[in-house]
Amino acid sequence: LAELRVRVIRQTEDRAFVLNRSLLPLQSACLRALADGVSPADVDRASRSGLLPTGQLALMDAVGLPTVLAAVRAFRGRMLADPPDDLAPLERGLATLVEKGKRGRANGAGLLIGQPLPWGVRPDSPTAEQLRPVLARVLDEALGRLATRESIPPGELRSALAAVYGGDPSERGPG
């Protein structure tokens, strides 16, 4: 994770919940974009920012797809089932990839590495620049919902993300 500029820090359950609660909707949007035919490189580029300097596909590959899948399954029970928070598509997509042997960096087969993904790339799919505002909105909305529902101040959410990513906590999301 160090080469991705992600600092490994000891997390409390609450802070880990905040990070996953913030990132899983963004990762879900990234997987939906892949399934819609956007190239993995464009999806990864679009999910980077000052606060999140590592693309979400690179992060999921580094952490390991089975680990991300386990986090999704654990957090689905804790998160509200509102449509923007629905992680079922992320769970299904990751389960499909894991069943096909994709583990991420652990086995050299993941979202950005190894054999192509089962969805293929459409020639008319959005570029990273076109996708970036969509993903920024997803992250902003996730942070806003978390601040409202969990009564966690937005500054604390950004600080939790910055503690892991080393990004600028004043920046709001991809973009």
Side-chain angles (χ1 to χ4, degrees):
L1 294 175
E3 71 187 55
L4 293 176
R5 297 184 299 158
V6 175
R7 285 183 277 177
V8 177
I9 59 173
R10 194 173 299 270
Q11 288 288 354
T12 64
E13 185 177 340
D14 288 343
R15 186 170 264 196
F17 174 75
V18 167
L19 290 172
N20 281 312
R21 180 69 174 87
S22 302
L23 294 179
L24 290 176
L26 178 59
Q27 292 171 347
S28 186
C30 289
L31 208 64
R32 278 194 308 274
L34 291 174
D36 287 344
V38 181
S39 80
D42 279 332
V43 171
D44 199 59
R45 267 194 309 278
S47 66
R48 294 180 196 151
S49 73
L51 182 58
L52 303 170
T54 301
Q56 293 305 296
L57 303 185
L59 178 64
M60 288 189 277
D61 276 347
V63 169
L65 301 184
T67 301
V68 177
L69 177 58
V72 170
R73 287 178 171 156
F75 278 85
R76 278 192 69 209
R78 292 183 70 177
M79 296 169 79
L80 297 176
D82 293 343
D85 294 334
D86 184 14
L87 298 178
L90 178 60
E91 182 179 357
R92 282 191 304 271
L94 288 171
T96 297
L97 294 172
V98 169
E99 286 169 13
K100 292 183 179 293
K102 290 193 171 278
R103 304 281 184 267
R105 284 195 178 175
N107 72 346
L111 296 164
L112 290 171
I113 54 179
Q115 296 297 315
L117 298 173
W119 303 293
V121 176
R122 284 191 355 248
D124 63 336
S125 67
T127 64
E129 292 71 30
Q130 294 166 323
L131 187 58
R132 184 170 283 118
V134 173
L135 296 181
R137 217 171 21 258
V138 168
L139 181 59
D140 277 349
E141 289 170 2
L143 290 172
R145 283 189 305 277
L146 185 54
T148 301
R149 293 178 184 159
E150 304 295 331
S151 300
I152 300 170
E156 190 174 318
L157 296 174
R158 289 188 188 86
S159 293
L161 290 169
V164 172
Y165 287 98
D168 180 352
S170 67
E171 292 195 30
R172 296 182 57 185

